[in-house]
Amino acid sequence: APLRVGRYVFIGNTKGIITVVETATMDIVQALKVPEATIIKRMELSRDGKHLLVVSSTKAITSYDVNDAPSGGLSKILEPAKVFHNPVNRSQWGAAAFSHDGEYVVGASAGAAHELHIWTRPTGSLEKILEGPTDAKGITQIAPHPVRPLLVAVGANGQLYVWAKSYTENWSAFAPDFHELEENEEYVEREDEFDLDKRALDDPAAIKAKALGAPEVVAGGAATEAAASVAAAEAAV
């Protein structure tokens, strides 16, 4: 796994050892042993190059903080960070990757299971376990989207499985009295619900009241019209 700036290369071997090589001089500047590991399966860098994930033969995913500009002879390129595992099912891991922003770690269980585990990187706490179709026959690689909360899991059956964040729509935000329906509902209107009274066609207030089902408004509109007629007659005298 080459560092983002290209200054160092990380090499894992079949003895569980990670070697850091400086590309300019080809010198080995650091070598460290992953605890209890007998083989390094794969390594993944975060997009900013500051964190490294190591999938090995152990039952945990090991992470390291990357210091690409060490100062002095005591500083190291790789410093141990969090260890990610499932406290209940202590099985090995087949693949791992950082999220697009580096705040989460996604790990795929080794074997035929289609399970993705999600941890928060800073704390190492397990947040969620996702289960996909069993016909995947296991996950061999995880590829996150560069800028969106989305990733692709490569199944051992050759198919690609896209995982994305689930969004919940809240339509009630558009109107305070909006009623959200979980499923379709059948509505049967009254026989005269949408009928207009021909005698009230010349009375806009009555038409509005009829639609609103408010008879008191009809009376109010008729009374207003009668009062206006009386006032007009008095003014003409």
Side-chain angles (χ1 to χ4, degrees), residues 9 14 18 20 36 40 54 62 73-74 80 102 107 111 114-115 122 125 140-141 155 198 201 217 221-222:
V9 173
T14 56
I18 300 175
V20 182
E36 301 180 4
I40 304 297
V54 179
T62 310
L74 298 178
H114 186 171
E115 289 184 350
S125 60
T140 61
Q141 181 63 290
K198 294 183 179 180
L201 291 179
V217 179

Side-chain angles (χ1 to χ4, degrees), residues 9 26 67 84 90 94 96 98 104 123 144 173 180 186 191 200 202 205 229 236:
V9 173
M26 299 302 294
N67 180 17
F84 307 97
R90 300 298 298 272
F98 288 100
Y104 295 92
T123 63
E180 222 173 320
E186 184 178 355
E191 184 177 354
D202 296 332
S229 300

Side-chain angles (χ1 to χ4, degrees), residues 7-191:
R7 185 176 180 182
Y8 301 102
V9 173
F10 304 139
I11 303 172
N13 62 18
T14 56
K15 297 182 180 180
I17 298 176
I18 300 175
T19 303
V20 182
V21 178
E22 188 174 18
T23 55
T25 62
M26 299 302 294
D27 292 337
I28 297 177
V29 296
Q30 186 181 0
L32 57 90
K33 178 75 165 62
V34 177
E36 301 180 4
T38 57
I39 184 174
I40 304 297
K41 297 180 180 179
R42 64 175 70 244
M43 293 183 289
E44 299 288 344
L45 272 172
S46 59
R47 283 184 55 81
D48 58 8
K50 296 181 179 180
H51 309 283
L52 177 71
L53 286 178
V54 179
V55 180
S56 63
S57 56
T58 66
K59 296 180 180 180
I61 299 172
T62 310
S63 69
Y64 295 88
D65 293 333
V66 180
N67 180 17
D68 61 346
S71 58
L74 298 178
S75 299
K76 299 179 180 180
I77 308 299
L78 296 178
E79 292 285 354
K82 297 294 182 180
V83 175
F84 307 97
H85 67 278
N86 186 335
V88 178
N89 183 14
R90 300 298 298 272
S91 59
Q92 292 190 7
W93 303 94
F98 288 100
S99 61
H100 68 289
D101 55 3
E103 291 301 311
Y104 295 92
V105 171
V106 183
S109 302
H114 186 171
E115 289 184 350
L116 297 180
H117 295 63
I118 302 177
W119 300 269
T120 54
R121 180 193 56 78
T123 63
S125 60
L126 180 62
E127 295 293 330
K128 185 175 295 186
I129 299 177
L130 306 176
E131 296 184 1
T134 56
D135 55 0
K137 300 179 180 179
I139 299 300
T140 61
Q141 181 63 290
I142 300 173
H145 192 278
V147 295
R148 295 173 54 190
L150 181 149
L151 61 85
V152 175
V154 182
N157 60 353
Q159 295 185 3
L160 304 179
Y161 299 89
V162 180
W163 292 84
K165 183 177 180 180
S166 177
Y167 294 93
T168 302
E169 295 182 345
N170 184 14
W171 290 95
S172 60
F174 292 95
D177 57 347
F178 188 88
H179 178 62
E180 222 173 320
L181 299 179
E182 297 295 333
E183 57 184 11
N184 291 335
E185 293 184 5
E186 184 178 355
Y187 176 74
V188 179
E189 71 274 9
R190 302 190 311 273
E191 184 177 354

